[in-house]
Amino acid sequence: MKTSEPFFKKVKQILAIIGIVVLAGLYVSTIVCALSSSDNFMNLLLASIYATVIIPVLIWAYSFIYKLLKKEQDADEKK
């Protein structure tokens, strides 16, 4: 089980970086639309706020499920 911990740490770091890039991109596009007086400004703002909550929750859920599956796999290998 110790050998998979560094791999899992790398996966979490990569997912976190991807999440940050996606969130930053959403907010940049929202600011650009606000400055250009676009009609889609409110829709983009609501999507950005929604994604600010959903993306970290999804990353946490994926890592939680991965841990559970990995734990079951390790338990099956020990039997």
Side-chain angles (χ1 to χ4, degrees):
M1 188 163 172
K2 293 283 185 191
T3 58
S4 66
E5 288 178 14
F7 172 74
F8 183 67
K9 186 175 180 180
K10 282 270 194 214
V11 169
K12 281 177 64 174
Q13 288 175 345
I14 291 169
L15 286 175
I17 290 169
I18 291 171
I20 290 168
V21 168
V22 168
L23 288 174
L26 281 170
Y27 280 106
V28 166
S29 66
T30 302
I31 291 170
V32 167
C33 282
L35 294 176
S36 67
S37 301
S38 175
D39 293 334
N40 291 328
F41 168 70
M42 282 307 290
N43 291 336
L44 284 173
L45 180 63
L46 290 176
S48 298
I49 292 169
Y50 179 75
T52 300
V53 174
I54 295 301
I55 290 174
V57 169
L58 285 176
I59 291 172
W60 175 84
Y62 292 148
S63 65
F64 181 74
I65 291 170
Y66 176 80
K67 282 182 186 178
L68 288 178
L69 293 175
K70 191 67 176 164
K71 198 178 288 186
E72 283 182 14
Q73 183 183 18
D74 289 343
D76 288 343
E77 287 177 0
K78 288 182 181 180
K79 287 183 180 181

